[in-house]
Amino acid sequence: MTEMVSTQRKKIHPHKFAMWLGIGSIIMMFAGLTSAYIVKQSQAEWTTVVIPKIFYYSTAVMLLSSLTMQMALKSFKERNMNQYRLLVSLTALLGFGFIAMQIIGFLQLTSDGFRLEGSGAAAFLYVIFGLHALHVLGGAVALMVMLVRAFSIRIRNYNPVPVEVASTYWHFVDLLWVYLFIFFLWRV
Amino acid sequence: MSQDSIHGHPEVVTTHEVHHDEHHGHHKETFITKYVFSQDHKMIAKQFLITGMVWAVLGGLMSVLFRLQLGYPNETFPWLEDILGRWAKGGRISVENYYSLVTMHGTVLVFFVLTGGLSGTFANFLIPLQIGARDMASPFLNMLSYWFFFGGSIVILASFFVQTGPFSGGWTFYPPLSALGDASPGSKIGADLWIIGMALFVVSSLLGGLNYISTILNMRTKGMSMSRVPLTVWALLFTAVLGVLSFPVLLSGLILLLFDRHAGTSFYLSDIFIAGKALPNEGGSAILFQHLFWFLGHPEVYIIILPAMGLVSEIMAVNCRKPIFGYMAMVGSMFAIAILAFLVWAHHMFVTGLNPFLGSVFVLLTLLIAVPSAIKVFNWLTTMWRGNIRFTPAMMFAVGFVSLFISGGLTGIFLGNSTLDIQLHDTYFVIAHFHIVMGVSAFFGMFAGVYHWFPKMYGRYMNNTLAYIHFWVTLVGAYLIFWPMHYEGLAAMPRRYMDYSAWSSFNQFEGLNQFISTVAIIVFAVQLLFLFNFFYSIFKGRRVTSQNPYGATTLEWTTPIRPGHGNWPGEIPEVHRWAYDYGKDDRSFIPQTEPIGAHESKH
């Protein structure tokens, strides 16, 4: 059995590697969207948008959640399971808080008169931020699943790979948000 | 697991715990886990292949139907109404349905046959077998990949049965025809189903691609360095990289399109009148969609052709009994093709008002692709040169692939020039070019692969006589169909039209069109012969009796004749040399698993 495993070259766990590739393809998707924004901006009838203050706060929440995720990973590796459960729930909560704040931001934009209809920056903002929020939602749900598994008495699992994959993804959606937010602050 | 046919290494067929952490093979397999929700890469490959075959028949049948219209525009075929009902009232395909047929022919063949059916089949089948892995990095995601493909297929198929018909605005899905439900009957629910089906397809190819790449890079057996893997594996690696990087961009384009359709945005819409009524959309750009589409669309044609190139390289070396000529040049040229794939998309848009200076940059980059393509062609020819060639059906198709790739590639040099494109764009010249260079030649690569690896897939051989008939009729037929189209295109005959009788200048092609249509029907019929051969041979074909019937070096021929889940009953073999030691030191071939001998010459 041990000999078998050693014949498989495992410099990096295939699941982690697949996550990095998946991140690459998500990057391509948002690169497509933001470059569409740039192309579109140089054309006639472009309308701009005023970005609500709440997106600054949601940025802070997202950055904070990255910190708690990193601490969760650390405590998992130290087998400090109580702290790990606490920190993962906190990360997931901050994720849901982020999504709630994005929705509040969308509602503010709508009440300020920036509607989805049309062809300007507002339409791109709704679509791009909305797609990003969906990616955060997917990550938060994955964290919830991990949390449930961490509370399970039947399965004792100290394999760090799923936690590492989740934290990689979580830091990625955090960085993706920072990129998108700066992109909009810079281009609007 | 069938272990009754293991040859060779009886000492390893004991109760060794040889399975790695997945513990597969210990479960009792039911019909559902073995044939339906299988996680065995070999079964998933067969699922992709057979689904692809169903699609190929449907897509081919569509082309027969519209060729009937193009060849015999003044005839009526009452039997068409009997089969197709309201699609062919009075025995003629109606206008909307003609456009639906050409649109869905393109969509089905490009995505569901030559992408899903080709790389889905051979990436799944060959990657673990040739690199020495028990299965994919994630067999579960691999299974999901097939079922997303299947789901997408069902959605696309469903669009044929809605009241307003499937999408009819061309396989490139350009807005405004795709963005406005009022633009045509096919733009209503048919376009939504197209988007949903394609989104599922994109998810499928992403899941597949992630798996292929991480399997190739992380799960090779001991000794299998990247410079030792067969060229099929390299080709499938580049294919997967292209897919993972380009399909998400198509998805983002389609998401924006979905908002234009249903949420009142104007990403792609501006200044549009339908039936004399002005629409409120302002400021959108239809060209934006073309950029997003072709950023996928151009890599997509390499996604189609690269696996075929890999299969052909491997089959050539095995059947010429010679090492492939220029292994590293083959890898390097595929790498160059993969890079250039992302830098040439605007050559599909020369006449959209593209800045002529920008156009000239894209001309240069496009023509650069001729360099790696030519390297590959020369390497195939020099591999055959003075080889001890065995003309098996697979080898015949591989040679046919090279012939078609040259013929179709040469016309690409015409089309890559932005000035010539003013005359040639949207004519039958383009149709002829891409059907030969990417459609038919990718099919030839696929046929070569099926004939060559069929014994590994099913433990039986296909019938050679039927295969040779299939080859000759298809090769001659492909040239007879598409060669004359070049002349029509040079005479500026536009594509996509249903009836050319309004142009007196194209009346000269009446006989030619009839000829093309007749040949197309014959070639289609011969493909049914291939299908018969395939399915008949699964059950009744001659049995494979030796483990390595071709005398090939690669690892898939070290598995049992009918490998179970896990591929090797004992340990995974270790690799000591590259995949192309043919005709070396007076030996016909030396398997990759054989250690380098003390007195062996260097290759």
Side-chain angles (χ1 to χ4, degrees):
Chain A
M1 185 73 193
T2 45
E3 197 181 295
M4 251 324 297
V5 173
S6 68
T7 59
Q8 302 267 338
R9 292 154 44 108
K10 276 183 184 159
K11 281 185 214 150
I12 172 170
H13 193 281
H15 291 176
K16 281 191 210 168
F17 190 79
M19 174 48 79
W20 282 107
L21 290 171
I23 286 173
S25 75
I26 299 173
I27 288 175
M28 285 305 288
M29 184 175 164
F30 282 92
L33 289 167
T34 48
S35 50
Y37 181 101
I38 294 169
V39 170
K40 196 68 182 32
Q41 192 178 28
S42 61
Q43 290 176 342
E45 312 273 346
W46 178 255
T47 55
T48 168
V49 68
V50 179
I51 293 176
K53 280 279 168 292
I54 189 154
F55 287 127
Y56 288 94
Y57 302 126
S58 69
T59 310
V61 167
M62 199 68 217
L63 289 171
L64 190 64
S65 76
S66 235
L67 187 68
T68 55
M69 185 72 236
Q70 195 55 31
M71 287 160 65
L73 178 62
K74 190 163 171 281
S75 43
F76 184 92
K77 282 182 173 165
E78 289 163 358
R79 304 223 173 156
N80 191 344
M81 294 320 260
N82 285 329
Q83 203 181 337
Y84 163 73
R85 286 180 202 128
L86 181 72
L87 284 164
V88 165
S89 358
L90 197 59
T91 311
L93 275 180
L94 285 171
F96 287 119
F98 172 81
I99 294 165
M101 290 167 91
Q102 300 296 87
I103 293 171
I104 295 169
F106 282 180
L107 293 175
Q108 276 185 16
L109 273 169
T110 318
S111 66
D112 291 347
F114 298 108
R115 297 170 56 78
L116 178 64
E117 287 85 352
S119 62
F124 274 100
L125 188 146
Y126 282 113
V127 173
I128 293 177
F129 284 11
L131 278 175
H132 173 264
L134 278 181
H135 283 83
V136 175
L137 186 66
V141 169
L143 288 183
M144 297 299 285
V145 172
M146 279 169 50
L147 192 64
V148 171
R149 284 173 60 181
F151 275 112
S152 161
I153 306 160
R154 284 187 301 113
I155 313 160
R156 294 220 173 273
N157 195 346
Y158 294 106
N159 179 10
V161 170
V163 190
E164 282 171 357
V165 168
S167 87
T168 307
Y169 181 76
W170 196 263
H171 294 317
F172 165 68
V173 287
D174 179 15
L175 277 176
L176 180 64
W177 168 252
V178 171
Y179 160 70
L180 293 173
F181 190 50
I182 292 174
F183 178 85
F184 268 89
L185 288 178
W186 166 52
R187 300 297 304 196
V188 162
Chain B
M1 287 176 71
S2 80
Q3 299 205 332
D4 52 347
S5 53
I6 292 154
H7 294 241
H9 310 283
E11 70 280 8
V12 293
V13 195
T14 53
T15 50
H16 283 189
E17 279 295 315
V18 289
H19 300 287
H20 60 114
D21 37 358
E22 314 284 350
H23 292 289
H24 43 201
H26 294 287
H27 311 286
K28 191 168 162 11
E29 284 193 298
T30 63
F31 181 81
I32 298 284
T33 59
K34 189 169 179 198
Y35 292 105
V36 184
F37 294 107
S38 172
Q39 297 192 19
D40 182 353
H41 70 99
K42 297 185 291 300
M43 184 53 68
I44 295 171
K46 291 172 192 171
Q47 290 174 326
F48 269 109
L49 180 59
I50 290 171
T51 314
M53 283 176 171
V54 172
W55 269 126
V57 171
L58 292 174
L61 199 60
M62 292 175 209
S63 70
V64 167
L65 290 174
F66 65 70
R67 268 323 307 185
L68 219 48
Q69 161 65 28
L70 288 168
Y72 305 93
N74 304 317
E75 310 271 324
T76 56
F77 303 94
W79 53 271
L80 273 182
E81 192 176 356
D82 298 340
I83 311 170
L84 298 172
R86 65 185 168 83
W87 278 54
K89 276 224 164 63
R92 284 190 71 181
I93 304 279
S94 68
V95 182
E96 293 81 17
N97 294 323
Y98 174 83
Y99 288 114
S100 293
L101 286 176
V102 288
T103 301
M104 299 317 283
H105 168 77
T107 306
V108 164
L109 265 301
V110 167
F111 294 109
F112 288 84
V113 180
L114 292 176
T115 304
L118 178 56
S119 63
T121 302
F122 288 103
N124 271 307
F125 192 73
L126 292 180
I127 288 173
L129 283 174
Q130 290 196 328
I131 65 170
R134 299 216 177 265
D135 207 315
M136 287 286 175
S138 172
F140 178 71
L141 287 186
N142 208 24
M143 176 184 81
L144 281 187
S145 161
Y146 173 74
W147 286 102
F148 271 103
F149 176 69
F150 186 81
S153 297
I154 294 293
V155 173
I156 294 282
L157 197 62
S159 74
F160 284 89
F161 297 97
V162 297
Q163 183 70 34
T164 46
F167 182 62
S168 57
W171 77 277
T172 51
F173 214 67
Y174 285 170
L177 279 177
S178 58
L180 296 166
D182 293 332
S184 73
S187 307
K188 294 182 171 59
I189 182 89
D192 288 315
L193 291 172
W194 195 95
I195 293 177
I196 296 166
M198 281 304 297
L200 291 170
F201 177 83
V202 169
V203 172
S204 154
S205 62
L206 288 177
L207 291 175
L210 297 181
N211 241 325
Y212 307 152
I213 299 170
S214 54
T215 307
I216 293 173
L217 294 184
N218 297 300
M219 305 201 27
R220 279 166 288 133
T221 186
K222 194 175 177 192
M224 182 67 92
S225 62
M226 281 309 280
S227 57
R228 285 176 176 172
V229 298
L231 283 170
T232 31
V233 174
W234 271 112
L236 292 164
L237 174 68
F238 287 123
T239 306
V241 171
L242 287 178
V244 163
L245 295 180
S246 66
F247 272 115
V249 180
L250 173 72
L251 194 60
S252 50
L254 290 180
I255 288 168
L256 296 183
L257 191 65
L258 212 51
F259 276 90
D260 270 10
R261 287 178 63 81
H262 297 296
T265 57
S266 308
F267 293 113
Y268 305 129
L269 300 171
S270 188
D271 307 312
I272 291 171
F273 291 81
I274 287 187
K277 238 178 50 211
L279 297 186
N281 306 82
E282 283 292 336
S285 160
I287 303 295
L288 176 62
F289 181 84
Q290 298 193 15
H291 280 293
L292 291 172
F293 180 86
W294 285 114
F295 192 81
L296 155 88
H298 199 79
E300 169 65 24
V301 304
Y302 297 117
I303 290 172
I304 288 174
I305 203 69
L306 280 173
M309 289 174 162
L311 298 172
V312 164
S313 305
E314 175 67 18
I315 291 166
M316 285 235 164
V318 173
N319 288 299
C320 294
R321 312 312 293 160
K322 271 181 69 188
I324 191 83
F325 188 90
Y327 176 88
M328 283 317 285
M330 285 298 216
V331 176
S333 55
M334 281 196 280
F335 180 72
I337 288 174
I339 299 288
L340 286 170
F342 286 107
L343 303 174
V344 297
W345 79 90
H347 71 214
H348 298 272
M349 300 164 61
F350 281 146
V351 293
T352 57
L354 190 77
N355 179 333
F357 174 73
L358 205 59
S360 68
V361 174
F362 278 100
V363 170
L364 177 69
L365 290 165
T366 302
L367 296 185
L368 271 180
I369 293 186
V371 177
S373 306
I375 291 174
K376 295 193 77 69
V377 166
F378 282 121
N379 285 349
W380 287 317
L381 296 180
T382 38
T383 301
M384 281 189 279
W385 175 252
R386 305 188 68 179
N388 187 7
I389 303 179
R390 297 193 298 213
F391 284 107
T392 62
M395 182 63 187
M396 301 287 265
F397 274 100
V399 178
F401 167 88
V402 177
S403 159
L404 288 158
F405 186 69
I406 295 171
S407 311
L410 288 175
T411 53
I413 299 173
F414 291 66
L415 288 167
N417 281 290
S418 57
T419 43
L420 286 174
D421 199 53
I422 296 169
Q423 161 77 6
L424 295 175
H425 81 96
D426 260 355
T427 66
Y428 269 78
F429 195 87
V430 181
I431 304 280
H433 162 69
F434 73 72
H435 273 92
I436 292 183
V437 77
M438 141 194 144
V440 186
S441 66
F443 259 107
F444 268 54
M446 190 170 171
F447 287 134
V450 171
Y451 282 115
H452 189 78
W453 278 285
F454 188 88
K456 190 77 257 169
M457 286 182 179
Y458 294 102
R460 288 172 186 272
Y461 294 101
M462 289 174 76
N463 181 296
N464 274 0
T465 313
L466 292 181
Y468 288 127
I469 296 171
H470 174 222
F471 168 76
W472 283 111
V473 177
T474 310
L475 182 79
V476 173
Y479 274 118
L480 289 181
I481 292 167
F482 295 112
W483 197 275
M485 286 189 189
H486 291 101
Y487 302 124
E488 298 185 337
L490 286 171
M493 187 165 136
R495 64 193 281 201
R496 294 213 167 93
Y497 282 74
M498 181 182 177
D499 190 349
Y500 294 86
S501 53
W503 281 286
S504 53
S505 58
F506 298 137
N507 286 344
Q508 56 172 324
F509 294 130
E510 202 181 313
L512 201 55
N513 280 330
Q514 282 181 10
F515 173 76
I516 292 173
S517 296
T518 310
V519 180
I521 292 165
I522 296 169
V523 171
F524 178 74
V526 169
Q527 307 314 306
L528 299 179
L529 193 68
F530 163 74
L531 289 181
F532 169 77
N533 191 358
F534 181 87
F535 287 106
Y536 183 82
S537 302
I538 290 177
F539 302 105
K540 301 276 180 183
R542 188 162 53 89
R543 279 180 190 279
V544 178
T545 48
S546 71
Q547 206 178 3
N548 188 357
Y550 301 126
T553 58
T554 42
L555 287 183
E556 75 268 33
W557 305 106
T558 63
T559 60
I561 290 174
R562 289 168 179 270
H565 196 175
N567 297 339
W568 286 269
E571 284 180 27
I572 300 178
E574 190 181 337
V575 166
H576 299 279
R577 59 179 73 235
W578 75 330
Y580 296 102
D581 270 342
Y582 291 101
K584 188 181 174 192
D585 295 345
D586 292 328
R587 287 179 64 185
S588 169
F589 71 103
I590 310 176
Q592 281 190 282
T593 49
E594 191 176 309
I596 304 271
H599 306 292
E600 201 170 306
S601 59
K602 289 203 162 155
H603 61 68

